[in-house]
Amino acid sequence: MFKFAALLALVALVPSFASAQVQLYGQCGGVNWTGGTTCVSGATCTELNSYYYQCLPTASTSASTTSSTVPTSSTSASKTSTGTSSAPSSTATAAAGNPWTGYQTFLSPYYVAEVNAAVQNITDPTLATKAAKVANIPNFTWLDEVAKVPTLGTYLASADALATSSGNKQLLQIVIYDLPDRDCAAKASNGEFTIADDGQTKYFNYIDQIVAQIKAYPNVRVVAVIEPDSMGNLVTNMSVEKCANAATTYKACITYAIEQLATVGVYMYLDAGHAGWLGWPANLSPAAQLFGQMYTATGKSPFFRGLATNVANYNALTTTSPDPITSGDPNYDELLYIQALSPLLTQQGFPAQFIVDQGRSGQQNLRQAWGDWCNIKGAGFGIQPTTNTGSTLIDAIAWIKPGGECDGTSNSSSPRYDSTCSLSDALTPAPEAGTWFQAYFEDLVNYANPAL
Ligand code: BGC
């Protein structure tokens, strides 16, 4: 069965030379679609929603069309999850314990390509040698716009094929990051969907497309970080009008994402800010209540494994000499934050496990203020990904923010300009959020701790 599925996927990857045919994972229909509607051999045009039909491998198509969990246009358009409905029953069974156990982490082809290109631009051979090693360190693939979702299918196909050829089961790491009115308290990462322009429906469609692709590769394990910054903003930034307006939509979208991703067996960690945000004593209880609410609303699925901290931030996992900027917060590093939050989550009935981003935490005492988050100067790659975390609460130390991708532009004329990205502790000039920032990458390599 497994080999059969893999074979079909490989057949589907053979390119077609008939120009009228739509390639694997290409769009092949939907409202107002004027392009091709016939897929290459081995793929079938499948309705994901009324706006989006996609060429999926024939093996996966039969799986998804016979399943009632793939929403049709009418159901996806009418879903308005309030967080009170019961979650759809999962078709997958969660494994007990740490999801990384027994799996090899698949390297993100997107990040590998970015790093390989960056290495070509480094003239110092010693630095280039170190930089090249970064391509072999697992990172997360950020699905930060719906146009990137089809690449997920190709990565899943590659991971599936690699598992077959190597005999090592593969685990693929993704970040779900496309909320309407995203990044509501800052500007640098404003996203493509707005609540005013039916962003909730578009977000549900984005999730539906991700779910359809993951469903086609049941042998590849997927771990997802859910919506960086979202919950943190709902805890501390409700005085910001955009955040207050977004609260209901954020909850509905994240509830939908967790419920749907659970049906295809994705292990999820909802973003929980970091020690300098939700780790302040006054924020811990409200945060725990919100996380408990989300856990209950999504049916307490074992696939909703816990929380992710320090995503794209710079805090140490542990330190014996707290950075002066942390003064006043007894939870001055990520482990202290996790240890303080965990019992409060337990009280809420949420037995959360954690993962912690250390991708840019190699150097400390760099920031003028703990709230500074943009392209911090002097940052280095940190502890490399491991499940040997030193804490039973922490499943994995990970590199979640792809080091070298920018946090936000320093160009003050950009619509996504956030003045945080021009502070004296931010490296400038910096390009748009998510795009490659070569000088920053080279610094991360140079200042890596442990050294590369
Ligand atoms: C950006 C995203 C990007 C992510 C990872 C965010 O700050 O807004 O576009 O994918 O960082 O680099």
Side-chain angles (χ1 to χ4, degrees), residues 142 144 177 182 189 401-402 405-407 433-434:
W142 289 57
D144 62 331
Y177 191 56
R182 190 174 78 188
S189 286
K401 169 79 185 183
E405 291 185 7
C406 191
D407 295 317

Side-chain angles (χ1 to χ4, degrees), residues 110 114 139-145 148 175 177 182-183 187-191 228-229 311-312 360 373 400-408 416 432-435:
Y110 186 82
E114 285 184 320
N139 222 307
F140 276 64
T141 299
W142 289 57
L143 301 173
D144 62 331
E145 52 186 21
K148 284 190 187 164
V175 178
Y177 191 56
R182 190 174 78 188
D183 206 18
K187 292 186 178 149
S189 286
N190 279 193
D229 292 345
V311 175
R360 305 192 301 182
W373 47 264
I400 299 173
K401 169 79 185 183
E405 291 185 7
C406 191
D407 295 317
R416 298 206 303 170
E432 287 287 342
T435 62

Side-chain angles (χ1 to χ4, degrees), residues 363-385:
Q363 301 293 337
Q364 294 298 307
N365 299 15
L366 302 172
R367 287 169 282 181
Q368 302 291 324
W370 209 357
D372 294 355
W373 47 264
C374 196
N375 304 319
I376 298 299
K377 257 190 244 174
F381 284 112
I383 305 169
Q384 294 186 11

Side-chain angles (χ1 to χ4, degrees), residues 3 7 46 82 110 129 214 257 263 269 322 325 352 367 395 420 449:
K3 280 187 178 163
L7 183 66
T46 308
T82 58
Y110 186 82
T129 303
I214 293 172
T263 67
Y269 298 84
I325 56 169
R367 287 169 282 181
D395 283 344
T420 311
N449 176 29

